Amino acid sequence: ATTTETATLIGHTDMVAGIAFSPDGARIASASHDKTVKLWDPASGRQAVTLTGHKDAVWGVAFSPNGRRIASASFDKTVKLWDAASGQETATLTGHTNRVDFVAFSPDSTRLASASWDGTVKLWDVDTARETATLTGHTKRVYNVAFSPDGATVASASEDMTIKLWDVATGQGTATLTNKTKVAFVTFSPDGDRLASSSWDGK
């Protein structure tokens, strides 16, 4: 409202790579190369809890839309699930063969998608912590992934200069959008009709 800085959250000992607000806005989660995720009170700027367990840098972090879980993506090739209320680790999702850069929850909070430098996107059942699909087709690192608002489609952004769209129910690719350079990030519009991407060419 005022564009005035309200707090500086200090506590990480290395680069902060990812950040996310909880759905109710009452907490912030930050992911760092110091191998931790920290939870903060945005009102006071105070650190609430530190989530430890990853063995390498943590790059991505996300709250589930229902606010109950946190997911973190790490260079240690794993994704971890945490109880958002207690900060306790509830599951470690293994299967990627290279660093994991990004995680995204489905709108109904039942699924998780992870993007990895192994060139794949994996889909996970959040309740059982089991892998439900591996989406293959990219030829290089996958940097980012996003669910459509209805949860039926996943979009992935890759170093191979493409965005791929996937059917969540079948795990099959439905479209490939080509770019002129590496694609860093993708996001759906709230109505699901449009997709925006950012890339290495500054566009």
Side-chain angles (χ1 to χ4, degrees), residues 2 6 9 41 70 73 75 83 104 117 136 143 146:
T2 65
T6 59
L9 313 182
D41 176 356
I70 296 167
F75 288 14
D83 181 278
W117 278 28
T136 59
Y143 294 127

Side-chain angles (χ1 to χ4, degrees), residues 35-147:
K35 306 178 186 178
T36 72
V37 173
K38 289 183 181 291
L39 301 183
W40 311 82
D41 176 356
S44 66
R46 293 176 181 172
Q47 180 181 318
V49 66
T50 299
L51 314 183
T52 59
H54 280 296
K55 298 178 180 178
D56 206 335
V58 188
W59 191 261
V61 65
F63 277 93
S64 61
N66 63 16
R68 297 175 183 171
R69 291 185 172 93
I70 296 167
S72 55
S74 175
F75 288 14
D76 67 9
K77 307 176 188 178
T78 74
V79 172
K80 287 185 181 291
L81 295 176
W82 314 81
D83 181 278
S86 66
Q88 295 298 306
E89 180 184 328
T90 60
T92 298
L93 312 183
T94 60
H96 282 297
T97 58
N98 206 328
R99 64 182 256 188
V100 187
D101 266 12
F102 200 83
V103 282
F105 281 95
S106 61
D108 64 2
S109 301
T110 64
R111 294 175 184 261
L112 186 76
S114 55
S116 172
W117 278 28
D118 65 12
T120 73
V121 171
K122 287 185 181 291
L123 300 180
W124 311 84
D125 182 292
V126 172
D127 289 330
T128 63
R130 292 182 179 177
E131 179 185 323
T132 60
T134 299
L135 313 183
T136 59
H138 284 296
T139 57
K140 293 185 178 180
R141 302 164 178 168
V142 183
Y143 294 127
N144 186 252
V145 65
F147 276 93

Side-chain angles (χ1 to χ4, degrees), residues 146-167:
F147 276 93
S148 61
D150 64 4
T153 303
V154 161
S156 54
S158 175
E159 185 184 28
D160 67 9
M161 301 187 290
T162 70
I163 298 164
K164 288 186 179 291
L165 300 180
W166 312 85
D167 183 285

